[in-house]
Amino acid sequence: MGVIKSGHNSAGFPNNFGASDSVTADALNDHVNDSTFDTTAVDDSTIELTTGDTKLQVKDDGVTFAKIQNIATDKVLGRTTAGSGSVEELDLLDENDMSTNSDTAVATQQSIKAYVDTYRRPNIVTSTKLDAATLSITKSTYADFPTLETAITSRYQNTKFMVTGFISCGFNNNSSDGIVKAQYKVGLGAYQDFNLATGAGNRVAGHFAIGQNGDNNTGINSEAFSIPTPAITNSAGDIITFKLQVTLVNGSETLYINREQDDDSDDDSTRRVISTLTAQEV
């Protein structure tokens, strides 16, 4: 702590009062008003005296971290209250998904990197059907497009998807017209339709049509599609599964998937192709 040196005065008492000195108001005032800090009273590493007027001041770098008020774990110092004012403790959050969504907390470097690494990449999953198959379908009755489903883990609540891909099919002839629709389910729930054509009446509602251009048994068409979903009722992290269904609008027959009708012999006059189904969170 600082030590006060007696002040000099004009009453003849340059240092301290003697035993025979008279104590007057002027003498006391001079001693007090002209007193200074003793240079031996500071350590000159944390506290020092200013040059000339010998005032006490904190030395540069004199306040160490240990001398600052303690703060709680996972806090940083700053200020979020509007206007200038006292320093405040701010939350230091380590959340890879930024779930708190705070406008005042500070994120760790690790959580920022984890969030960017996860969410800067598009959430997209593709399934591919490489083998050929046949499917018996009936007018106005939807059947599952075989072994072509895409399951994707949602990143967001009440999210939306873009469902894209292409399917390759052959029919008996060019008088066969079909319709395809996509469906989705959340978790283990039931599959449900979305964004089907409205005002269909007695017509078959779907997402896109398929058919065969040539009237022969070697015809095959590949149809590309892009179908947006509305906002799905889901929680972040739910698995959303998509599939395709197909039906006819005239009669019943066999659909040849990834192949032509005339594809029983192993020769170079027939073709084999693939089909895909992609789901991307948007």
Side-chain angles (χ1 to χ4, degrees), residues 54-103:
T54 60
K55 294 179 180 179
L56 280 177
Q57 69 177 14
V58 177
K59 195 174 180 66
D60 290 346
D61 298 324
V63 179
T64 64
F65 290 132
K67 296 298 183 181
I68 299 176
Q69 175 185 334
N70 290 340
I71 63 173
T73 302
D74 290 333
K75 301 288 185 180
V76 294
L77 298 180
R79 181 175 173 83
T80 58
T81 302
S84 59
S86 301
V87 175
E88 300 169 343
E89 287 187 352
L90 308 181
D91 291 326
L92 179 63
L93 301 180
D94 187 23
E95 298 175 335
N96 294 350
D97 59 359
M98 304 286 186
S99 58
T100 299
N101 192 27
S102 170
D103 61 356

Side-chain angles (χ1 to χ4, degrees), residues 21-185:
D21 294 331
S22 298
V23 179
T24 64
D26 288 341
L28 286 176
N29 287 336
D30 287 341
H31 271 271
V32 173
N33 293 337
D34 295 337
S35 62
T36 60
F37 284 99
D38 192 334
T39 56
T40 62
V42 296
D43 59 15
D44 206 36
S45 62
T46 59
I47 302 295
E48 67 180 358
L49 297 178
T50 59
T51 303
D53 52 9
T54 60
K55 294 179 180 179
L56 280 177
Q57 69 177 14
V58 177
K59 195 174 180 66
D60 290 346
D61 298 324
V63 179
T64 64
F65 290 132
K67 296 298 183 181
I68 299 176
Q69 175 185 334
N70 290 340
I71 63 173
T73 302
D74 290 333
K75 301 288 185 180
V76 294
L77 298 180
R79 181 175 173 83
T80 58
T81 302
S84 59
S86 301
V87 175
E88 300 169 343
E89 287 187 352
L90 308 181
D91 291 326
L92 179 63
L93 301 180
D94 187 23
E95 298 175 335
N96 294 350
D97 59 359
M98 304 286 186
S99 58
T100 299
N101 192 27
S102 170
D103 61 356
T104 59
V106 181
T108 65
Q109 182 191 48
Q110 184 276 330
S111 63
I112 294 173
K113 182 179 185 302
Y115 185 89
V116 171
D117 287 346
T118 299
Y119 294 98
R120 71 177 178 179
R121 298 183 178 91
N123 189 17
I124 182 170
V125 177
T126 297
S127 298
T128 304
K129 181 173 177 59
L130 301 176
D131 61 324
T134 59
L135 179 64
S136 296
I137 50 179
T138 304
K139 177 183 177 180
S140 301
T141 301
Y142 274 104
D144 288 346
F145 199 88
T147 61
L148 188 61
E149 289 187 349
T150 296
I152 183 170
T153 302
S154 61
R155 291 178 180 170
Y156 307 103
Q157 180 180 6
N158 299 334
T159 188
K160 297 180 180 180
F161 289 89
M162 182 65 71
V163 183
T164 60
F166 64 89
I167 59 174
S168 302
C169 305
F171 292 87
N172 290 329
N173 53 64
N174 63 358
S175 65
S176 302
D177 294 315
I179 289 182
V180 179
K181 69 177 180 180
Q183 291 185 314
Y184 74 85
K185 67 177 181 179

Side-chain angles (χ1 to χ4, degrees), residues 137-141 171-179 202-204 209-212 246-255:
I137 50 179
T138 304
K139 177 183 177 180
S140 301
T141 301
F171 292 87
N172 290 329
N173 53 64
N174 63 358
S175 65
S176 302
D177 294 315
I179 289 182
N202 293 325
R203 307 171 187 87
V204 179
I210 56 175
Q212 182 168 302
V246 60
T247 189
L248 290 178
V249 295
N250 47 1
S252 303
E253 69 169 70
T254 299
L255 181 67

